[in-house]
């Protein structure tokens, strides 16, 4: 009955071809207009999962409560010495703060007055004492520099050391590191290659090592959501500002950009480039395979036009049903081309092979009707089964694949509709020619005979392979880290890898929201005891330990040092003559004790001697390089020597807002130990955190929870796909044996795919896991043709037109999947590789296992 219906439908479409083409042209035009106005793409991986998930709710709540942490664009500045990075960061922040077109907020988290003025308090007492002693021992030296912060003052201070040695005074041991620094910088200046000297490293030593080596400029850009890369304008503005920084121009510093906005834009760019290129390559190679499959341009062009029309209609459906595509669902176009072409190939190959009972050629109209009758039911079953493989993901919480399942699932039904209506009309308009000779693979007759005669051994071999596949299933690895599916060579990812090396800047942190500061203190203490935890950052962590002792030590140092380094009117900058005179005077004082000078001072003496005879320009350049950052460092030292006691109540609001909400709730940020990009390390960290508080949130938790969500979605989808496919087969075939003959190769191809995944190896991730349930649908679309032909009495499955159609369908599908595998986006490429593996296993089962599995019929030869 259905065969007669599809035959009549094909006849009507062939007779009314102009009308059919006009209707499809209108539909396609409407879908194009709809797609242009309504469809968009998001690279936000957080949108891959349903908002109803408990872990997703916690993540969204933290984002809502602390909006300053979201949608960030971050500049990371790396410099030769700390001062250059700090000055560059300040200049960049000032420039970006004036750019109200691209940026909403700009901040310098590492250059906050609170941290600058209380830095000494955050040192351990055992480290603070020797540091303060070394600063006190340098008091005469620093006093001279404060009064004259120039090369003249520095040379004068070095001369004082010579006088001290002459008077029998030793050099304090804590001053040796500073002397080494002076010796290096003076030698460089004397050689005509002056380099800015770091007074921060010389004066405050360990305090400079407390934070990261990098300076950060954190911004929240204004995003242009009309663009596929909303942050592109802000990123370009930031890059231009970085390139215009003095120290970047002189190659003393470098700047690299990262952050959520940057990573999202880069990912879309990578995916989009791969998708467009992949789609073009797919269409070109599909045309090549079609030439080999059907030979005639009068058939190839209708197939391609049908394919394009189906793709446009599916895109229009996506615009209506979804609107915003994600990084997985955007792959529907290539998947549609690769899979939907199977229906057109099946139809066209059978059309070309139509013959009358006497061997003569029927008319084109009659051939179209006969092809519709023969293939309509089979293609419908294939379309329904493939759609079931896709739609099985729709009920899951894995929104990324659920979208793809919805679009591609209905795309298969659209492809069937186009094959049964548009394709006959186009074949009629193009006056397609029927094929000459045998439509199938006559040369495969020996293979058919071999598989039939050795069917038990062939089935036994596949059974053994199936057992191996079952045994290897526990070895499947799943990696839900979204960073592992991004291109590691992009600027944003390179920057992120720099941050990962430091526990304080790693992107794999965790967060907990507690009712109040009292509970925060208790949980912070518990988290700090865990072996995987490096530190717990909360408001209480900003209150230094042992403040009374430290404040007394700092106050003693300040009473000695502050009067010396606080100078109301320092000397003006000297000219070259004054610098030369100071160098000569210092050399004379050091020459007087030449035999008693330690190695660093001897290098200093030699450098000063060279400078005393250097050209004026060399002296002025040396003065700038040696003392450029001295005034600022003296100012910061004065600030650090005057800290006030810190309590949780007097921490400034701009710092406090990152830890405590107005309603009193407090946030803890937990930094891990170890290489968190390694899955076992990450899972151990999360497991330990959960032992203290199961409601932990943050990136580390999101990665592990998303893995659980994806695995659960896969299980649900696989079960749903099997059930739906089984129901479709039972309804259509109405025999349990026939349904089992289709399902058995599906399960076998799955187990063969498992063997390949483990042996290659290929790690499963959120992007490529779609391949496993998808192969169920693709496998049915191949197997059903052979089984239904067997039901109708067809002999020699490998010599039939169906085998030719299946082979070239597989090749076109492999072309589409191969184009995905060539993508520069690792997640998309892994999807393509896994789809190719599963397709190869499916084709092997269809062409070898199915012919051997088909039971012997009374009409078959012995």
């Amino acid at each position: 009955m259905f065969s007669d219906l599809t035959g009549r439908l094909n006849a009507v479409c062939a007779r009314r071809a102009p009308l059919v083409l006009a209707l499809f042209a209108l539909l396609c035009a409407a879908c194009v207009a709809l797609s242009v106005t309504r469809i968009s793409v998001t690279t936000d991986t957080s949108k891959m999962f349903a908002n109803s998930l408990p872990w997703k709710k916690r993540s969204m709540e933290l984002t809502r409560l602390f909006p300053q942490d979201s949608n960030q664009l971050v500049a990371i500045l790396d410099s030769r010495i700390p001062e250059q990075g700090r000055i560059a960061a300040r200049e960049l922040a000032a420039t970006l703060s004036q750019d109200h077109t691209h940026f909403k907020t700009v901040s310098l988290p590492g250059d906050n007055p609170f941290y600058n003025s209380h830095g000494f308090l955050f040192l351990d007492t055992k480290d603070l004492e020797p540091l303060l002693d070394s600063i006190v021992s340098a008091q005469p030296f620093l006093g001279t520099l404060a009064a004259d912060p120039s090369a003249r003052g520095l040379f004068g201070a070095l001369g004082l050391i010579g006088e001290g040695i002459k008077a029998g005074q030793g050099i304090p041991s804590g001053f040796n590191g500073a002397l080494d620094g002076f010796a290096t910088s003076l030698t460089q200046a004397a050689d005509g290659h002056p380099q800015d000297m770091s007074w921060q490293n010389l004066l405050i030593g360990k305090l400079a090592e407390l934070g990261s080596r990098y300076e950060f400029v954190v911004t929240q850009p204004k995003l242009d959501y009309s663009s596929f890369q909303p942050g592109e304008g802000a990123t370009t503005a930031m890059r231009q500002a970085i390139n215009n920084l003095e120290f970047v121009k002189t190659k003393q510093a470098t700047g690299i950009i990262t952050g959520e906005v940057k990573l999202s834009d880069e990912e879309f760019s990578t995916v989009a480039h791969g998708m467009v290129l992949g789609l073009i390559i797919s269409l070109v190679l599909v045309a090549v395979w079609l030439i080999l499959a059907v030979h005639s341009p009068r058939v190839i062009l209708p197939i391609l036009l049908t394919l394009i029309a189906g793709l446009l209609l599916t895109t229009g459906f996506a615009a209506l049903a979804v609107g915003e595509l994600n990084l997985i669902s955007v792959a529907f176009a290539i998947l549609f081309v690769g899979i939907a072409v199977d229906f057109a190939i099946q139809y066209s190959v059978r059309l070309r092979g139509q013959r009358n009972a006497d061997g003569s050629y029927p008319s084109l109209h009659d051939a179209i009707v006969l092809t519709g009758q023969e293939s309509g039911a089979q293609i419908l079953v294939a379309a329904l089964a493939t759609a079931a493989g896709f739609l099985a993901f729709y009920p899951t919480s894995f929104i990324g694949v659920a979208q793809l399942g919805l679009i591609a699932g209905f795309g298969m039904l659209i492809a069937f509709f186009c094959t049964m209506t548009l394709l006959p009309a186009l074949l009629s308009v193009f006056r397609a020619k029927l094929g000459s000779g045998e439509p199938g693979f006559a040369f495969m007759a020996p293979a058919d005979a071999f598989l039939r005669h050795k069917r038990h051994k062939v089935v036994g071999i596949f059974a053994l392979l199936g057992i191996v596949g079952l045994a290897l299933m526990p070895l499947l690895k799943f990696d839900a880290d979204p960073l592992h599916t991004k291109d590691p060579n992009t600027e944003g990812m390179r920057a992120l890898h720099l941050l990962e090396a430091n526990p304080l800047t790693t992107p794999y942190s965790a967060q907990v929201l507690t009712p109040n500061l009292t509970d925060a203190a208790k949980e912070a203490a518990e988290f700090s005891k865990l072996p995987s935890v490096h530190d717990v950052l909360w408001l209480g962590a900003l209150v230094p330990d042992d403040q009374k002792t430290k404040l007394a030590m700092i106050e003693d140092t300040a009473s000695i040092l502050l009067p010396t380094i606080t100078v109301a009117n320092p000397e003006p900058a000297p000219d070259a003559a004054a610098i030369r005179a100071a160098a000569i005077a210092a050399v004379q004082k050091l020459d007087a004790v030449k035999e008693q000078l330690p190695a660093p001072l001897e290098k200093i003496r030699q450098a000063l001697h060279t400078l005393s005879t250097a050209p004026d320009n060399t002296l002025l350049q040396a003065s700038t390089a040696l003392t450029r950052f001295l005034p600022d460092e003296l100012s910061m030292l004065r600030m650090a020597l005057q800290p006030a006691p810190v309590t949780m109540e007097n921490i400034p609001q701009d710092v406090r807002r990152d830890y405590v909400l107005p309603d009193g709730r407090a946030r803890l940020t937990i930094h891990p130990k170890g290489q968190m990009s390694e899955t076992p390390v990450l899972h151990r960290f999360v497991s330990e955190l959960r032992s203290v508080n199961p409601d932990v949130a943050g990136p580390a938790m999101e990665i592990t929870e998303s893995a659980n969500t994806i695995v659960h979605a896969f299980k649900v989808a696989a079960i749903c796909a099997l059930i739906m496919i089984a129901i479709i087969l039972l309804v259509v075939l109405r025999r349990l044996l026939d349904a089992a003959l289709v399902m058995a190769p599906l399960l076998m191809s799955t187990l063969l795919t498992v063997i390949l995944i483990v042996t290659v190896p290929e790690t499963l991730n959120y992007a490529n896991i779609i391949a496993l349930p998808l192969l169920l649908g693709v496998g049915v679309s191949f197997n059903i043709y052979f089984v239904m032909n067997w039901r109708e009495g067809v002999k020699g499955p490998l010599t039939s037109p169906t085998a030719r159609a299946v082979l070239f369908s597989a090749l076109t599908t492999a072309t589409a999947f191969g184009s995905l595998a060539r993508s520069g986006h690792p997640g998309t490429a892994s999807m393509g590789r896994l789809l190719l593996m599963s397709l190869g296993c499916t084709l092997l089962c269809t062409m070898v296992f199915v012919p051997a599995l088909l039971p012997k019929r009374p009409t078959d030869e012995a």
Side-chain angles (χ1 to χ4, degrees):
M1 178 178 177
F2 185 79
S3 297
D4 291 337
L5 181 62
T6 54
R8 288 196 296 271
L9 176 63
N10 283 192
V12 170
C13 291
R15 282 197 304 269
R16 306 290 185 184
L19 177 61
V20 172
L21 296 184
L23 290 175
F24 267 92
L26 290 174
L27 278 175
C28 290
C31 287
V32 168
L34 194 63
S35 301
V36 169
T37 56
R38 290 199 53 171
I39 209 161
S40 62
V41 179
T42 178
T43 56
D44 186 353
T45 54
S46 68
K47 294 185 178 180
M48 291 285 189
F49 304 95
N51 292 337
S52 58
L53 292 166
W55 63 269
K56 187 69 183 299
K57 288 181 178 179
R58 291 195 295 271
S59 176
M60 292 170 61
E61 178 69 359
L62 279 170
T63 299
R64 184 184 67 82
L65 295 173
F66 297 93
Q68 64 268 30
D69 293 341
S70 61
N71 289 330
Q72 291 182 340
L73 190 65
V74 182
I76 304 176
L77 300 174
D78 187 15
S79 56
R80 189 180 61 83
I81 59 175
E83 290 93 332
Q84 291 172 337
R86 183 168 65 248
I87 297 300
R90 288 174 179 175
E91 290 178 359
L92 179 60
T95 300
L96 299 183
S97 295
Q98 296 172 5
D99 185 355
H100 302 295
T101 302
H102 296 108
F103 299 96
K104 294 187 290 186
T105 63
V106 180
S107 63
L108 291 168
D111 193 16
N112 187 286
F114 171 76
Y115 298 116
N116 291 339
S117 61
H118 294 87
F120 284 141
L121 291 177
F122 290 103
L123 289 174
D124 290 336
T125 305
K126 61 181 179 62
D127 295 323
L128 178 61
E129 185 172 7
L131 174 60
L132 293 177
D133 288 343
S134 67
I135 294 175
V136 169
S137 66
Q139 180 209 8
F141 191 88
L142 294 176
T144 302
L145 292 173
D148 187 0
S150 68
R152 178 181 57 197
L154 175 60
F155 296 164
L158 292 171
L160 289 177
I161 296 178
E163 291 183 346
I165 294 175
K166 186 176 181 180
Q169 298 175 0
I171 300 174
S173 59
F175 204 55
N176 288 330
L179 289 178
D180 288 331
F182 292 142
T184 300
S185 296
L186 282 167
T187 301
Q188 290 173 338
D191 291 341
H193 305 289
Q195 296 284 331
D196 291 338
M197 187 166 65
S198 174
W199 288 90
Q200 177 173 317
N201 290 337
L202 295 175
L203 292 178
I204 58 177
K206 284 184 176 293
L207 188 61
E209 302 172 6
L210 279 179
S212 168
R213 59 173 284 190
Y214 305 107
E215 291 287 339
F216 301 94
V217 180
V218 179
T219 72
Q220 284 187 309
K222 293 181 179 179
L223 303 178
D224 178 12
Y225 290 105
S226 64
S227 169
F228 284 126
Q229 298 181 61
E232 185 177 21
T235 301
T236 301
M238 180 178 281
R239 170 53 57 198
Q240 291 174 346
I242 290 173
N243 292 340
N244 288 329
L245 294 174
E246 174 192 352
F247 293 120
V248 173
K249 288 181 178 180
T250 58
K251 302 188 184 306
Q252 298 293 307
T254 58
I256 193 168
I257 302 173
T258 189
E260 180 184 347
V261 172
K262 174 69 171 174
L263 293 172
S264 295
D265 284 354
E266 286 178 341
E267 186 151 29
F268 174 79
S269 177
T270 307
V271 172
H273 174 74
M275 287 298 168
V276 173
L277 180 62
L279 189 57
I280 293 172
I281 294 174
S282 294
L283 289 172
V284 171
L285 291 180
V286 163
V288 172
W289 293 125
L290 289 176
I291 292 172
L292 297 175
V294 297
H295 302 299
S296 172
R298 295 175 181 267
V299 178
I300 294 172
L301 285 174
I303 292 176
L304 290 176
L305 290 174
T306 301
L307 198 60
I308 293 171
L311 180 58
L312 293 177
L313 294 180
T314 303
T315 305
F317 170 78
L320 284 174
V322 175
E324 185 179 68
L325 301 176
N326 57 60
L327 289 173
I328 295 179
S329 59
V330 76
F332 82 88
I334 290 178
L335 293 179
F336 180 91
V337 170
I339 299 174
V341 73
D342 168 64
F343 307 153
I345 290 177
Q346 288 288 340
Y347 188 98
S348 300
V349 168
R350 296 192 185 198
L351 174 75
R352 298 263 295 163
Q354 290 297 337
R355 303 290 186 271
N356 291 322
D358 59 1
S360 61
Y361 291 92
S363 67
L364 176 60
H365 183 272
D366 290 343
I368 288 175
V369 175
L370 289 171
T371 303
Q373 291 174 342
E374 289 180 6
S375 65
Q378 293 184 8
I379 294 175
L380 175 62
V381 175
L384 290 174
T386 307
F390 280 114
L391 291 172
F393 261 109
Y394 186 66
T396 70
S397 298
F398 188 13
I399 300 299
V401 177
Q403 279 189 4
L404 178 62
L406 178 66
I407 298 168
F410 276 89
M412 295 301 99
L413 302 181
I414 290 171
F416 169 77
F417 173 73
C418 292
T419 303
M420 290 293 111
T421 55
L422 180 59
L423 182 58
L426 288 169
L427 290 169
S428 177
V429 169
F430 279 85
R431 299 179 182 178
K433 300 291 185 182
L434 302 186
S436 59
E438 291 294 330
F441 294 134
F443 66 89
M444 291 296 289
D448 264 330
F450 175 83
L451 290 175
R452 296 308 296 167
H453 291 145
K454 303 292 184 179
R455 57 188 301 266
H456 295 294
K457 292 183 179 180
V458 172
V459 172
I461 292 172
F462 273 93
L464 288 175
L465 289 173
I467 293 172
V468 172
L470 281 172
L472 292 178
M473 286 187 74
L475 299 181
L476 291 176
K477 297 179 180 179
F478 187 82
D479 180 4
D481 190 342
L483 298 182
H484 293 169
T485 62
K486 301 179 188 292
D487 183 357
N489 298 315
T490 62
E491 180 183 16
M493 282 301 296
R494 293 199 312 272
L496 211 61
H497 288 315
L498 294 177
L499 302 182
E500 185 185 344
N502 187 338
L504 297 177
T505 58
T506 178
Y508 296 95
S509 60
Q511 297 178 0
V512 172
L513 193 62
T514 60
N516 49 58
L517 287 171
T518 302
D519 288 348
K522 294 177 181 177
E523 293 204 15
E526 291 298 316
F527 283 125
S528 298
K529 297 175 184 177
L530 300 176
S532 295
V533 172
H534 178 273
D535 68 275
V536 181
L537 198 56
W538 65 293
L539 191 69
L542 304 184
V543 179
D545 296 328
D546 200 13
Q547 287 192 72
K548 185 176 181 180
T549 301
K550 293 176 184 177
L551 285 168
M553 294 166 60
I554 296 170
E555 185 177 349
D556 288 344
T557 301
S559 65
I560 298 171
L561 200 60
L562 280 179
T564 305
I565 64 173
T566 304
V567 179
N569 298 300
E571 293 290 331
D575 57 16
I579 297 172
R580 191 185 311 279
I584 293 172
V587 168
Q588 291 174 348
K589 293 176 181 178
L590 293 174
D591 281 345
V593 289
K594 179 179 178 180
E595 303 301 327
Q596 303 175 48
L597 296 180
L601 269 175
E602 174 58 23
K603 289 182 181 180
I604 290 172
R605 187 191 68 80
Q606 294 175 7
L608 286 171
H609 181 76
T610 302
L611 285 170
S612 67
T613 60
D616 289 355
N617 187 53
T618 300
L619 285 172
L620 292 173
Q621 289 179 351
S623 180
T624 299
L626 292 169
T627 61
R628 176 173 189 166
F629 301 118
L630 177 58
D632 189 42
E633 290 305 317
L634 288 173
S635 175
M636 293 189 69
L637 178 59
R638 287 192 289 268
M639 184 187 302
L641 287 172
Q642 302 177 77
V646 179
T647 65
M648 282 194 281
E649 289 71 27
N650 68 8
I651 292 175
Q653 183 57 35
D654 64 327
V655 176
R656 186 183 185 88
R657 68 189 180 95
D658 288 333
Y659 302 97
V660 182
L661 295 169
D663 61 8
R665 284 181 292 173
R667 179 173 66 165
L668 285 72
T669 299
I670 308 158
H671 296 123
K673 291 178 183 176
Q675 189 69 23
M676 298 302 292
S677 57
E678 297 178 4
T679 301
V681 178
L682 175 63
H683 280 270
R684 183 166 58 252
F685 174 61
V686 170
S687 178
E688 290 183 5
L689 296 185
R690 277 180 162 172
S691 67
V692 175
N693 188 328
D695 293 330
V696 175
M701 186 63 64
E702 289 172 16
I703 291 172
T704 56
E705 287 292 349
S706 61
N708 296 334
T709 301
I710 292 170
V711 171
H712 180 263
F714 164 68
K715 292 177 180 178
V716 170
I719 294 172
C720 290
L722 288 172
I723 292 174
M724 286 191 290
I725 291 171
I727 292 173
I728 291 169
L729 294 175
L730 288 172
V731 170
V732 174
L733 301 178
R734 297 188 299 279
R735 285 173 53 185
L736 184 60
L737 174 62
D738 296 352
L741 290 174
V742 177
M743 295 295 291
L746 292 182
L747 299 178
M748 182 58 66
S749 61
T750 302
L751 295 174
L752 294 182
T753 303
V754 170
I755 295 175
L756 280 182
I757 292 173
V758 173
T759 56
V760 167
E762 182 73 43
T763 301
L764 297 176
N765 57 54
Y766 77 82
N768 66 24
I769 198 170
I770 179 63
L772 299 182
L774 176 60
L775 74 87
L776 300 177
V778 175
V780 168
S781 69
F782 289 170
N783 299 339
I784 192 67
Y785 302 131
F786 278 64
V787 174
M788 294 185 77
N789 284 349
W790 171 80
R791 278 166 54 99
E792 295 170 6
V794 174
K795 296 182 180 181
L798 298 183
T799 60
S800 67
T802 299
R804 182 184 185 90
V806 165
L807 177 61
F808 283 102
S809 292
L811 290 174
T812 53
T813 304
T815 296
F817 295 167
S819 68
L820 288 175
R822 291 183 67 258
S823 171
H825 183 261
T828 304
S830 69
M831 180 195 295
R833 291 193 301 270
L834 193 53
L835 286 170
L836 278 175
M837 290 182 198
S838 64
L839 177 64
C841 295
T842 298
L843 185 61
L844 177 66
C845 289
T846 300
M847 302 295 279
V848 179
F849 185 51
V850 172
L853 192 64
L854 294 173
K856 185 178 179 181
R857 298 163 298 189
T859 57
D860 293 335
E861 296 179 3

